[in-house]
Amino acid sequence: MKLIRIRAIAQKEALQVIRDPFSLAMAFIVPLFLLLIFGYAITLDIREIDTIVLDRDGSSLSRELATELRETGYFTIRKYVERERDIENELDSGAAKVAVMIPTDFSKKIRSGGTPKLGVIIDGSDANTAMIAQGYLTGIVTQFSSRFATASLRLPIDVRTRVWYNPDLKSRNFIIPGLIAVIMAVIVALLTSLTVSREWDRGTMEQLIATPVTRYEIIIGKLVPYFCIGLADTLLCIAMGTQLFHVPLRGSLPLLLALSGVFLAGGLCMGILISIIARQQLLSSQMALLGTFLPAFLLSGFMFSIASMPRPIQYATYAVSARYFVNIIMGIFLKGVTFRLVLVETALLIVYGILMFGLAGRKFRKRVE
């Protein structure tokens, strides 16, 4: 391979990108737009859950409990109802997700050292919200009742929990780094999936075939401009994540960019492999979108825990490069890990990139078929 030939191919490809508004938009505007939309749309923080209260006690303690539910910010008391039939109507219509029923002897039993029974009905049609609401209610009621516990009823163990890496438990702090990985996996594959197929569609591939440039020089030359674009996009997404979404970057930025380059190289090689196989721009873009977005979004561990997946699906995730990069980017963002702690993931990304590059070179033929 000769560097001068690779540089010539890279310059040619860079000029095509600059002169193509669609490619420029896909390269710089789409990643930021996707990060902006998904960053605000995807959240696991459940707040202001619509709640109704049936207060049969009507005491100062029952009103205090309702006030504590509202002041946490997790529950919004929409209405105080007077009958159990009203609870069913409110839950059926979707006007409320949680109903709290305070019995008539609530304050009496608390003051006498008894244990009142607090009724709670939760709309389980949304299982995620229901589980989170149940956890919130348990914590609030436990904290409320602990103020009235006698010394003899106190537990012998004093549990004090400390959360590391994400002490505020903000879902955005781990969603944004994962989104960067998913978005870059899609964008770089889409960009390079059009490179070779565009040459065939425009009829310029015959000119490349007639030149002394080798197939590997063509592939590398076409990858270079998009690799630079991918790094620039990654840097822009990191800047947006830290400045707009206020996600802390506790690790090394140079290390993150270096490992991002390893991930981008594998994604670019996959994209050009798709372009070589498809040989049509429309088909290439569809294959790239299907082959990157769904696996990266569903099987990388970004949104769904891999340990909770069926065993065959868990094995399939090992073929998804985004799985390894999600671990890397979350570790550097939230934990500030060093290179030693992500060495295995980095090695697997290198193997993936070499495999994709080798397959692309094997499939590319310098002849008209």
Side-chain angles (χ1 to χ4, degrees), residues 87-365:
I87 293 177
E88 184 176 354
N89 293 334
E90 294 291 327
L91 293 178
D92 286 345
S93 65
K97 298 294 183 183
V98 176
V100 178
M101 298 180 292
I102 304 176
T104 55
D105 57 352
F106 180 74
S107 59
K108 181 180 178 180
K109 282 195 173 182
I110 285 183
R111 290 191 172 99
S112 63
T115 305
K117 295 182 179 179
L118 188 71
V120 176
I121 300 176
I122 302 176
D123 183 357
S125 57
D126 184 349
N128 182 59
T129 301
M131 291 178 63
I132 293 175
Q134 184 178 5
Y136 288 161
L137 279 167
T138 301
I140 294 169
V141 173
T142 300
Q143 184 177 9
F144 178 82
S145 60
S146 65
R147 299 203 299 265
F148 304 96
T150 61
S152 60
L153 295 177
R154 290 178 182 172
L155 295 175
I157 301 176
D158 181 13
V159 180
R160 299 187 182 184
T161 305
R162 182 180 179 184
V163 179
W164 283 12
Y165 312 127
N166 187 12
D168 296 329
L169 296 178
K170 294 181 179 178
S171 62
R172 186 174 292 173
N173 286 351
F174 70 87
I175 285 178
I176 296 301
L179 272 177
I180 294 175
V182 172
I183 290 172
M184 296 316 303
V186 175
I187 293 300
V188 295
L190 277 175
L191 286 173
T192 51
S193 67
L194 304 176
T195 53
V196 177
S197 57
R198 182 169 51 215
E199 301 284 358
W200 287 111
D201 286 348
R202 294 179 178 178
T204 55
M205 180 56 76
E206 289 82 357
Q207 299 175 9
L208 279 177
I209 292 175
T211 64
V213 182
T214 66
R215 54 185 176 180
Y216 288 106
E217 289 171 347
I218 293 175
I219 292 174
I220 295 174
K222 286 184 171 294
L223 289 180
V224 169
Y226 297 107
F227 181 80
C228 297
I229 290 173
L231 282 179
D233 280 340
T234 303
L235 191 58
L236 286 174
C237 289
I238 292 172
M240 179 179 285
T242 54
Q243 301 302 316
L244 180 61
F245 294 103
H246 305 291
V247 179
L249 176 57
R250 298 189 172 95
S252 168
L253 179 59
L255 175 63
L256 178 56
L257 289 176
L259 299 186
S260 297
V262 176
F263 171 69
L264 292 173
L268 292 169
C269 291
M270 178 184 176
I272 205 166
L273 173 62
I274 293 173
S275 185
I276 291 169
I277 294 173
R279 298 182 63 169
Q280 295 179 7
Q281 293 189 71
L282 179 59
L283 180 58
S284 296
S285 60
Q286 292 174 341
M287 289 176 62
L289 186 61
L290 183 64
T292 55
F293 179 74
L294 291 179
F297 195 83
L298 300 176
L299 303 179
S300 65
F302 156 58
M303 284 298 298
F304 308 102
S305 173
I306 295 176
S308 302
M309 298 178 184
R311 188 70 64 180
I313 302 298
Q314 292 185 31
Y315 293 143
T317 62
Y318 288 106
V320 180
S321 63
R323 166 183 175 156
Y324 310 114
F325 188 57
V326 165
N327 290 338
I328 290 173
I329 195 169
M330 286 189 176
I332 294 176
F333 255 96
L334 300 180
K335 300 180 180 180
V337 299
T338 60
F339 178 67
R340 180 179 60 85
L341 297 178
V342 292
L343 184 60
V344 174
E345 288 85 354
T346 305
L348 291 172
L349 285 178
I350 293 173
V351 171
Y352 178 83
I354 293 174
L355 179 62
M356 290 294 107
F357 180 77
L359 289 175
R362 186 183 181 90
K363 287 290 183 181
F364 186 59
R365 294 288 185 269

Side-chain angles (χ1 to χ4, degrees), residues 32-103:
L32 301 182
F33 178 76
L34 290 176
L35 185 62
L36 189 67
I37 295 298
F38 283 113
Y40 283 113
I42 300 178
T43 178
L44 300 180
D45 297 330
I46 307 297
R47 300 184 64 85
E48 298 183 356
I49 304 170
D50 293 332
T51 306
I52 55 176
V53 177
L54 174 58
D55 187 0
R56 287 175 170 166
D57 190 34
S59 64
S60 59
L61 285 179
S62 63
R63 289 192 296 270
E64 184 180 347
L65 175 60
T67 301
E68 288 201 12
L69 289 175
R70 183 178 62 250
E71 289 181 349
T72 59
Y74 298 125
F75 299 94
T76 299
I77 298 179
R78 296 297 182 187
K79 185 186 294 185
Y80 285 86
V81 298
E82 298 179 355
R83 300 173 302 177
E84 290 188 15
R85 184 184 305 172
D86 297 331
I87 293 177
E88 184 176 354
N89 293 334
E90 294 291 327
L91 293 178
D92 286 345
S93 65
K97 298 294 183 183
V98 176
V100 178
M101 298 180 292
I102 304 176

Side-chain angles (χ1 to χ4, degrees), residues 17-30:
V17 174
I18 294 172
R19 293 170 181 173
D20 186 0
F22 176 76
S23 296
L24 286 176
M26 186 183 297
F28 294 104
I29 298 177
V30 173

